[in-house]
Amino acid sequence: MPVESGSSAAARQVKQKRKAHTISIRRTNSSEQERVTSQREMLEGQGAMMSAVCEEVCGQSVEDSKLPPTIRQTLLELFGQIEREFENLYIENIELRREIETLNDRLTAEGQTVDGGDLSKGQLKAKASHSTSQLSQKLKTTYKASTSKIVSSFKTTTSRAVCQLVKEYIGHRDGIWDVSVTRLQPVVLGTASADHSAMLWSIETGKCLLKYVGHAGSVNSIKFHPSEQVALTASGDQTAHIWRYIVQLPTPQPVIDTNQMSGEEEVDFSDKDEADGDVEGPSESPTIRVPSTTLKSHQGVVIAADWLVGGKQVVTASWDRTANLYDVETSELVHSLTGHDQELTHCCTHPTQRLVVTSSRDTTFRLWDFRDPSIHSVNVFQGHTDTVTSAVFTVGDNVVSGSDDRTVKVWDLKNMRSPIATIRTDSAVNRISVSVSQRIIALPHDNRQVRLFDMSGVRLARLPRSNRQGHRRMVCCTAWSEDNPICNLFSCGFDRQAIGWNINIPALLQEK
């Protein structure tokens, strides 16, 4: 019998060790594949369960869902991201359990064992707690913006109960540029239109009470005297008119809640513009054709006009790049305010002080101070990148400006270097208004919407446009009416109508 040499015996031992190692690797790989397959099946089952939850949350099924497609898609994407985060956490948990098993194997070889429950009280508990806190923080930071968008989109439907369309004022034959409300009894609504007329309306009934036709051009602005039944209108005929009115309110009729109308009772406005062309206007209402005072001196369109506090002087803004200050009693020009580089778009006076603010297409607005007769200081506010369509005072020391650059800025008169709040929108902003008592900003937009914000820039509501409600063209102006139980906000636009809204301000602020 042959005897193996030492070298051949050593070679055979190495070959046997390699074979045993290969078999061990194959067994390990096989068990690892079975474990991965089991994990994959478990994750797929969890994914199916998560999809079922998504369907349940989003409306039980795509066919039966009542959510808008965009909101449903956003929810599905968010749940998908949450599912992936929990998958990562689950995989980390599996790795921890594997480490526990490895540690138990080592300790068993040394004659000790460690229960997974004991370990969870120490290292496992700390690591799991750390992973959970990380996941919680990541969920908060990652989905906060997205969920806030979803909440704001839901808010437009809930706010419908606190923002109701009450009355429509129809009778003009062209777009309405401006809307205003009297400050004394009887409270009436005034509108200025491109059809060369201004109208006074009963807020409760929607009936035209009086019509002014003294202008030879588009009526671009209407403002009421603070203590007398006198109106001030500005026109494209390069003049501003002051005229007196006497109105008698009709007997109020029951208000119909348009939100409660059934589908059969809704009026079809699809051919509204064509129908308006045939409206001759309220011929039975009284008509004024001659003003009591005519203010002349501008060389271009007079785009806006307003009363100074006390009602003894008025200021006008024109496309000739100037604003003029007139004495009402003598009709004489007191001051010509120059400095803007392009056409003026609006002017507004402070409710309690002799301050005037003018806005222009030169992307600026200017503050004029007439409190000292010998000094007319000027402050220039430069914060917009496009036409400043309007700038208005609040009761305090703030000015709110709106622009075609799709922003609204709130300024402090004591510090004009930078705005204290900026509101960014998705459409150009026209003539804004601020509620005196509640300090709520109403923004009329080119996209037919009216949005409400507070002074800090927080969005409160969007006035509903669903169910054929609201404006069907650009909204030109808004005006608040304080302490009016019927309508406390009015808007007007290119669709030839003004709209009265009832805003439940306490409920609106509570929703915020």
Side-chain angles (χ1 to χ4, degrees):
M1 184 174 184
V3 180
E4 288 183 328
S5 64
S7 61
S8 60
R12 184 170 58 82
Q13 291 177 359
V14 170
K15 184 180 296 185
Q16 290 176 352
K17 290 181 179 180
R18 288 180 178 175
K19 184 175 181 181
H21 182 65
T22 302
I23 294 173
S24 176
I25 292 176
R26 289 177 180 175
R27 290 176 179 175
T28 302
N29 290 340
S30 176
S31 61
E32 183 71 17
Q33 289 177 358
E34 292 176 357
R35 184 181 59 80
V36 172
T37 303
S38 176
Q39 293 177 3
R40 183 181 296 109
E41 292 176 353
M42 185 178 298
L43 290 176
E44 289 177 354
Q46 291 179 348
M49 184 180 299
M50 182 64 70
S51 300
V53 172
C54 292
E55 289 186 357
E56 182 69 22
V57 174
C58 296
Q60 294 183 354
S61 68
V62 175
E63 292 78 5
D64 299 335
S65 176
K66 297 182 180 179
L67 291 175
T70 55
I71 296 179
R72 186 171 63 247
Q73 182 63 28
T74 303
L75 285 175
L76 291 175
E77 292 176 358
L78 291 177
F79 278 114
Q81 295 179 24
I82 295 173
E83 180 182 359
R84 287 191 291 271
E85 291 294 334
F86 277 102
E87 286 180 1
N88 294 333
L89 184 61
Y90 178 76
I91 293 174
E92 290 181 4
N93 189 18
I94 293 176
E95 294 296 333
L96 284 175
R97 291 184 178 277
R98 185 185 304 169
E99 292 180 6
I100 294 173
E101 293 175 359
T102 303
L103 183 60
N104 276 332
D105 292 340
R106 292 179 182 176
L107 295 177
T108 301
E110 297 176 0
Q112 300 178 9
T113 58
V114 176
D115 185 37
D118 296 334
L119 184 61
S120 65
K121 297 178 181 179
Q123 299 174 355
L124 179 60
K125 184 176 181 181
K127 189 166 185 179
S129 176
H130 178 67
S131 300
T132 305
S133 63
Q134 281 185 336
L135 175 63
S136 177
Q137 184 64 28
K138 189 171 184 180
L139 288 173
K140 288 179 180 179
T141 56
T142 305
Y143 309 126
K144 185 176 181 181
S146 300
T147 53
S148 64
K149 291 180 180 179
I150 296 176
V151 170
S152 67
S153 64
F154 288 146
K155 194 174 184 180
T156 59
T157 59
T158 59
S159 62
R160 189 175 303 172
V162 298
C163 302
Q164 294 183 342
L165 186 153
V166 177
K167 186 67 65 175
E168 294 178 335
Y169 306 88
I170 301 175
H172 282 291
R173 305 180 63 175
D174 208 337
I176 303 176
W177 290 113
D178 198 17
V179 62
S180 183
V181 183
T182 58
R183 306 178 191 179
L184 69 161
Q185 297 294 334
V187 179
V188 297
L189 176 70
T191 54
S193 172
D195 64 5
H196 300 191
S197 72
M199 291 185 181
L200 305 186
W201 306 81
S202 167
I203 294 178
E204 290 79 5
T205 65
K207 179 182 178 181
C208 179
L209 305 176
L210 186 145
K211 187 174 183 180
Y212 178 74
V213 294
H215 284 290
S218 170
V219 184
N220 303 319
S221 173
I222 181 169
K223 289 291 184 292
F224 293 103
H225 193 279
S227 59
E228 300 178 17
Q229 292 187 345
V230 178
L232 169 67
T233 52
S235 173
D237 60 10
Q238 303 183 4
T239 68
H241 289 180
I242 298 175
W243 43 277
R244 293 186 174 272
Y245 64 89
I246 298 177
V247 294
Q248 183 176 359
L249 296 180
T251 303
Q253 299 175 355
V255 177
I256 299 176
D257 188 354
T258 56
N259 290 326
Q260 303 298 327
M261 295 173 65
S262 63
E264 292 77 15
E265 294 173 339
E266 289 184 357
V267 180
D268 187 1
F269 293 109
S270 57
D271 298 326
K272 182 71 175 59
D273 292 337
E274 289 77 2
D276 284 346
D278 298 331
V279 176
E280 294 295 333
S283 57
E284 70 278 4
S285 60
T287 301
I288 299 177
R289 302 182 182 275
V290 180
S292 57
T293 303
T294 301
L295 306 177
K296 301 179 181 179
S297 64
H298 283 293
Q299 304 300 315
V301 170
V302 183
I303 195 65
D306 201 359
W307 302 88
L308 263 71
V309 59
K312 296 182 178 180
Q313 291 180 323
V314 299
V315 62
T316 57
S318 173
W319 284 4
D320 63 8
R321 307 183 183 182
T322 65
N324 290 340
L325 185 66
Y326 294 93
D327 183 89
V328 174
E329 186 177 353
T330 63
S331 305
E332 293 182 356
L333 176 64
V334 179
H335 294 289
S336 183
L337 312 178
T338 60
H340 283 291
D341 296 331
Q342 296 188 38
E343 295 90 338
L344 273 65
T345 58
H346 191 245
C347 66
C348 181
T349 60
H350 195 280
T352 60
Q353 303 183 57
R354 290 176 56 81
L355 298 174
V356 176
V357 63
T358 56
S359 56
S360 170
R361 291 183 59 190
D362 61 9
T363 73
T364 71
F365 64 95
R366 294 176 176 243
L367 175 66
W368 311 83
D369 190 348
F370 295 99
R371 289 175 292 187
D372 189 340
S374 60
I375 301 176
H376 307 124
S377 59
V378 177
N379 290 325
V380 181
F381 292 76
Q382 297 176 328
H384 293 283
T385 59
D386 205 337
T387 298
V388 182
T389 54
S390 65
V392 299
F393 289 100
T394 66
V395 175
D397 294 329
N398 297 119
V399 172
V400 183
S401 60
S403 171
D404 281 342
D405 64 6
R406 303 182 180 184
T407 66
V408 174
K409 297 179 184 289
V410 182
W411 306 79
D412 188 349
L413 293 177
K414 300 176 182 178
N415 182 12
M416 67 177 187
R417 289 176 295 180
S418 61
I420 59 178
T422 299
I423 301 171
R424 303 188 183 278
T425 68
D426 58 356
S427 180
V429 181
N430 298 311
R431 293 183 178 179
I432 60 180
S433 63
V434 181
S435 170
V436 175
S437 59
Q438 301 294 335
R439 293 168 63 85
I440 297 178
I441 310 170
L443 309 183
H445 290 288
D446 280 359
N447 64 2
R448 303 178 293 171
Q449 298 179 3
V450 178
R451 292 188 176 98
L452 305 181
F453 289 82
D454 65 10
M455 294 293 291
S456 62
V458 176
R459 176 178 168 179
L460 302 178
R462 174 178 68 88
L463 298 189
R465 226 170 15 98
S466 59
N467 296 329
R468 302 185 182 274
Q469 291 185 354
H471 291 281
R472 290 169 293 280
R473 288 191 178 182
M474 177 180 75
V475 187
C476 300
C477 180
T478 56
W480 289 93
S481 176
E482 304 296 332
D483 302 324
N484 191 322
I486 304 299
C487 304
N488 53 6
L489 179 65
F490 298 90
S491 60
C492 64
F494 266 12
D495 54 0
R496 309 178 188 180
Q497 69 172 343
I499 293 179
W501 305 89
N502 186 292
I503 311 298
N504 189 336
I505 294 180
L508 190 67
L509 296 177
Q510 184 177 2
E511 279 192 0
K512 179 185 72 169

